Amino acid sequence: MKKIGVVGAGHVGLVTAGCFASMGHSVICADNDSAKISQIRDFRMPFYEPGLEDLVRQTVGCGRLSFTTSISELALGSEVIFIAVGTPPADGGGADLSYVENVTVEIARALVDTERKHGDPVYRLIVEKSTVPVLTGEWVKRTLALLAPTGIEFDVAANPEFLREGNAIADFMNPDRIVVGVESDRAKRIFEEIYSPMEAPIVVTDVKSAEIIKHASNSFLALKISYINAISRICEKVGADISKVSEGMGYDRRIGKDFLDAGIGWGGSCFPKDVSAFIKIAEDLGCPFNLLKEVERINREQRLLVLRKARDLLWNLRGKPVSVYGLSFKPDTDDIRQSPAVEIVRLLLAEGARVRCYDPQAMENVRRELPDATCCDDPYEAARNSSLLIFLTAWKEFESLDFGRIKNLVSMPYIIDGRNFLNAAELEKYGFIYRGIGKNT
Ligand code: UDX
Ligand code: UDX
């Protein structure tokens, strides 16, 4: 059992803290947003993530997880400190590392208190959990060396996460692999102890390689999605079916069926910023990553496909009531950060459409983000008098909507399926005119 500190109680930090505690470690989680900390202490989660509330209740209940706003308190009591604060996109495409820098400085200063209170030499392992561009570890190390007291021995490591929102706890507890970038045997042994309850292979490497593994993995997944989206356009031209093309490709173990679903493309708080940060760091290092620029371009264009289909069906959009189902960037999350669906609603509003929105979880965020759209709390209300239904996030509950009832509510029988997840044949039986992405319809 290790004493672990996690700085940042966001989508990554809170899941990481809860999972480490459930593995038997003693964890303290800090965040500089005091409102967020008191919300979590009341077991009100700051975002929707299946299973997270139960995980936090259980681990707090058995005394293995606690929360604070004080980095000093965290540093004093933790041998291993994970940095899991935001690394949002900066202007110019790179990652904004100012939060990582601030927290590193706070940790260094906190270690001064730690040394004073401990007296004897203290060791701390500082770990990058957040997704950061390669060479960030060098900066963390320099900052600590400059500011941390001499009586503190420390190592810097990288332990990137591969959590998918909506599936984060399962992804943390059953990873395909654990990646640790270390600079000493002592750090390596600590990670082996931390992850000893897990079966997954541990890839041990240096800090820079670990940092690159994360960016390279996310960028490859984005590339795979843009690849199948590019092929979906060829399918549309000849009337082929992208879902069958993807199925036929995916049986090849070297290709794999996952992340081969065509649609309105990728979004979220990771892929867009990780791809652009990887492009930027490559550029800064003198090796421009043009392939990834093409991956971004294809992804941007996928949003426009939906507008084109809407115009094909409605001719003019101005003044037309259009209903959008699914605003989160993917199912099973309320996260609308960089959501392709939100971008499409903005484009529809810009063309003068009167947009109504419905999402099973994200409506609170949607009300804040899209004040010009009409927000509905009921999927049937959202359909009333609508001239076009556009499904942009493949929420399971949409598949069991009563489309016979919806058909009697709408003014025009048009449906665009931005994620190719609805049953076209069934919808056509109800008299709808169905349009998918890369489909021969
Ligand atoms: C973010 C990045 O998006 C992801 O790529 C990275 O791997 C981890 O950080 P996420 O957890 O979604 O992931 O960020 P967010 O939900 O914004 O949480 C970050 C938390 O850090 C916030 O709660 C914020 O209050 C906190 N924070 C930020 C601090 O506690 N101190 C700071 O100085 C800055
Ligand atoms: C991703 C990575 O999967 C995860 O390993 C990393 O830690 C963080 O970033 P996440 O962003 O939560 O996770 O969602 P993910 O399930 O990867 O989907 C990302 C985007 O790709 C979503 O907008 C989704 O709709 C889209 N997507 C995914 C497709 O368009 N097609 C697919 O086949 C799969």
Side-chain angles (χ1 to χ4, degrees), residues 149-221:
T150 47
I152 295 275
E153 223 190 308
F154 67 88
D155 276 325
V156 173
N159 175 216
E161 46 79 23
F162 301 97
L163 312 181
R164 286 168 299 163
E165 290 188 36
N167 208 48
I169 295 171
D171 284 348
F172 190 102
M173 300 310 284
N174 314 288
D176 291 338
R177 77 309 200 178
I178 296 156
V179 171
V180 294
V182 293
E183 49 184 14
S184 74
D185 276 344
R186 182 172 188 174
K188 176 173 176 276
R189 281 196 305 278
I190 289 173
F191 278 115
E192 284 165 349
E193 283 175 57
I194 289 177
Y195 288 109
S196 57
M198 288 193 167
E199 314 269 304
I202 300 186
V203 177
V204 181
T205 181
D206 60 280
V207 175
K208 294 176 196 142
S209 303
E211 290 169 330
I212 289 182
I213 288 170
K214 174 63 189 178
H215 265 167
S217 300
N218 263 13
S219 298
F220 181 80
L221 293 169

Side-chain angles (χ1 to χ4, degrees), residues 259-270:
F259 283 65
L260 215 51
D261 298 332
I264 58 172
W266 42 269
S269 67
C270 294

Side-chain angles (χ1 to χ4, degrees), residues 273-304:
K273 71 172 180 63
D274 292 353
V275 170
S276 77
F278 205 16
I279 289 170
K280 180 77 169 53
I281 190 77
E283 203 97 49
D284 294 350
L285 292 168
C287 35
F289 211 146
N290 295 324
L291 174 63
L292 283 187
K293 288 178 186 166
E294 190 59 13
V295 164
E296 279 187 328
R297 187 187 63 75
I298 292 167
N299 193 53
R300 274 194 303 276
E301 285 180 358
Q302 281 310 97
R303 285 61 157 147
L304 306 178

Side-chain angles (χ1 to χ4, degrees), residues 230-387:
I231 292 178
S232 76
R233 293 173 202 172
I234 300 169
C235 290
E236 292 215 358
K237 290 287 180 201
V238 299
D241 182 343
I242 189 61
S243 302
K244 283 297 174 194
V245 168
S246 170
E247 182 187 354
M249 290 170 62
Y251 279 107
D252 184 323
R253 282 190 302 277
R254 297 166 302 172
I255 298 174
K257 62 178 180 38
D258 293 343
F259 283 65
L260 215 51
D261 298 332
I264 58 172
W266 42 269
S269 67
C270 294
F271 281 5
K273 71 172 180 63
D274 292 353
V275 170
S276 77
F278 205 16
I279 289 170
K280 180 77 169 53
I281 190 77
E283 203 97 49
D284 294 350
L285 292 168
C287 35
F289 211 146
N290 295 324
L291 174 63
L292 283 187
K293 288 178 186 166
E294 190 59 13
V295 164
E296 279 187 328
R297 187 187 63 75
I298 292 167
N299 193 53
R300 274 194 303 276
E301 285 180 358
Q302 281 310 97
R303 285 61 157 147
L304 306 178
L305 263 182
V306 169
L307 270 286
R308 235 190 351 262
K309 290 171 189 287
R311 284 190 217 103
D312 283 354
L313 291 168
L314 292 183
W315 188 359
N316 298 305
L317 297 184
R318 187 159 299 286
K320 298 268 174 71
V322 172
S323 307
V324 171
Y325 289 81
L327 280 302
S328 55
F329 80 96
K330 58 183 275 196
D332 301 325
T333 179
D334 63 350
D335 199 345
I336 62 170
R337 291 179 288 182
Q338 306 274 326
S339 167
V342 169
E343 284 176 51
I344 289 169
V345 168
R346 287 214 174 91
L347 292 170
L348 289 165
L349 289 168
E351 286 213 17
R354 288 187 288 123
V355 181
R356 305 159 75 86
C357 298
Y358 172 75
D359 184 282
Q361 287 291 341
M363 291 319 287
E364 200 181 314
N365 294 329
V366 173
R367 283 191 173 85
R368 248 196 325 273
E369 191 68 23
L370 293 167
D372 298 340
T374 303
C375 290
C376 303
D377 290 316
D378 171 86
Y380 298 99
E381 188 45 41
R384 190 178 302 285
N385 301 326
S386 183
S387 53

Side-chain angles (χ1 to χ4, degrees), residues 99-155:
Y99 299 134
V100 173
E101 180 195 350
N102 297 343
V103 166
T104 303
V105 171
E106 284 184 85
I107 289 169
R109 293 205 173 115
L111 292 178
V112 173
D113 298 347
T114 301
E115 188 207 25
R116 200 181 301 126
K117 287 176 185 145
H118 264 271
D120 52 13
V122 172
Y123 173 80
R124 287 291 180 270
L125 178 58
I126 313 296
V127 186
E128 291 170 339
K129 178 53 85 176
S130 298
T131 301
V132 292
V134 64
L135 297 177
T136 302
E138 300 280 297
W139 283 101
V140 172
K141 196 170 166 187
R142 276 166 52 106
T143 307
L144 289 167
L146 282 170
L147 296 175
T150 47
I152 295 275
E153 223 190 308
F154 67 88
D155 276 325

